[in-house]
Amino acid sequence: MIIDAHRHYWDPSRLEYGWLAHAPVALQRAFLPPDLDPTTDACILVQAAPDERETLFLFDIARRTDGVLGVIGWVDMEADNATQRIAALAEQGQGLLRGIRPMVQDIPDTEWLARPSLDRAFDCLRDHGLVFDALVDNRHLRALSQRLAQHTGLITVVDHGAKPNIADGQFASWASAIARVAQVPDVSCKLSGLLTLIDANGDASAIDPYAAHLFESFGGQRVMWGSDWPVLTTHATYEQWKARAQTLTRRFAPHHEAAVFGANAATIYSLATPVPAPASEGMS
């Protein structure tokens, strides 16, 4: 079973998605399950608004949509009652909540992750067995390393390879910083979001050295594929990106295709994946 470890659904008529005002016009509408071309791939839904109500919205979609295995939600991690809020969301999700994602890339303070006011919330994620999805770029990797050093055992997934500046070819500083983060054993990475970091008419092969470095740094057992749909649609279709990612995986992590496209996500997010029934005896 293929698992898309990073898919979004959103509806601006229901909730405020401030970042959409600066996004391409094609993304400034609702994207819901019927809008995705038919696919049998399972998925994890990821928050796109800094609002706990959106997490509840994603729970509702997950309960009504085949193949949704979990939700990465949002909570105000600096709130005085952040630990109670995390516990409440976990209870409301009834097993669907698999992680929390603060929208670090949109926070003006690039050292936000290092704030002591977040200590209790990160401990709470670890204690509840929830994953910290790190929506960061190169500006935040120092603070991320500092945060991870404080919370041994905190399962962390770096979204979109920490969003390297591919369009401007800024490889070296990102490469050294993400390699340091990868030295922490409980940190994994998503092979997602890279295509949208190149110019709309750019050569897709520009992402190849970045993908190669992610596989070299994390290894085939700590990289998982995600579509980043529908953001992806500004540069490719779902199936086009999946096929390219499969090619990259065969090239840079041979024999790890099953892990990257499903098994790693199932393990890292502790997903309750459906198990196919065994074939009856005598059936071919």
Side-chain angles (χ1 to χ4, degrees), residues 184-252:
V184 180
D186 293 313
V187 179
S188 301
C189 182
K190 287 181 186 175
L191 182 64
S192 61
L194 298 183
L195 275 185
T196 54
L197 299 175
I198 64 175
D199 293 332
N201 297 317
D203 185 348
S205 65
I207 72 172
D208 292 9
Y210 297 86
H213 186 67
L214 291 176
F215 280 116
E216 180 182 359
S217 299
F218 289 92
Q221 295 300 324
R222 289 193 291 149
V223 175
M224 66 191 83
W225 175 73
S227 70
D228 197 25
W229 188 93
V231 181
L232 166 72
T233 59
T234 61
H235 285 66
T237 68
Y238 181 91
E239 292 298 332
Q240 285 171 340
W241 166 234
K242 181 167 69 173
R244 181 162 190 84
Q246 288 170 329
T247 298
L248 290 170
T249 303
R250 285 193 294 268
R251 179 178 172 189
F252 299 123

Side-chain angles (χ1 to χ4, degrees), residues 40-114:
T40 59
D41 297 345
C43 73
I44 300 170
L45 299 186
V46 180
Q47 66 81 225
D51 191 325
E52 290 176 27
R53 293 175 299 172
E54 195 217 14
T55 305
L56 302 181
F57 170 61
L58 295 179
F59 288 162
D60 184 55
I61 290 177
R63 293 183 179 112
R64 295 184 289 107
T65 306
D66 291 340
V68 178
L69 303 178
V71 169
I72 307 302
W74 183 92
V75 71
D76 182 355
M77 295 182 68
E78 286 194 285
D80 290 339
N81 63 342
T83 58
Q84 292 93 328
R85 292 185 180 200
I86 292 168
L89 278 180
E91 183 176 356
Q92 289 170 296
Q94 297 178 313
L96 283 171
L97 186 68
R98 303 317 312 145
I100 293 292
R101 185 174 87 147
M103 301 184 78
V104 179
Q105 69 172 11
D106 297 329
I107 298 172
D109 180 8
T110 57
E111 297 297 315
W112 180 83
L113 277 172

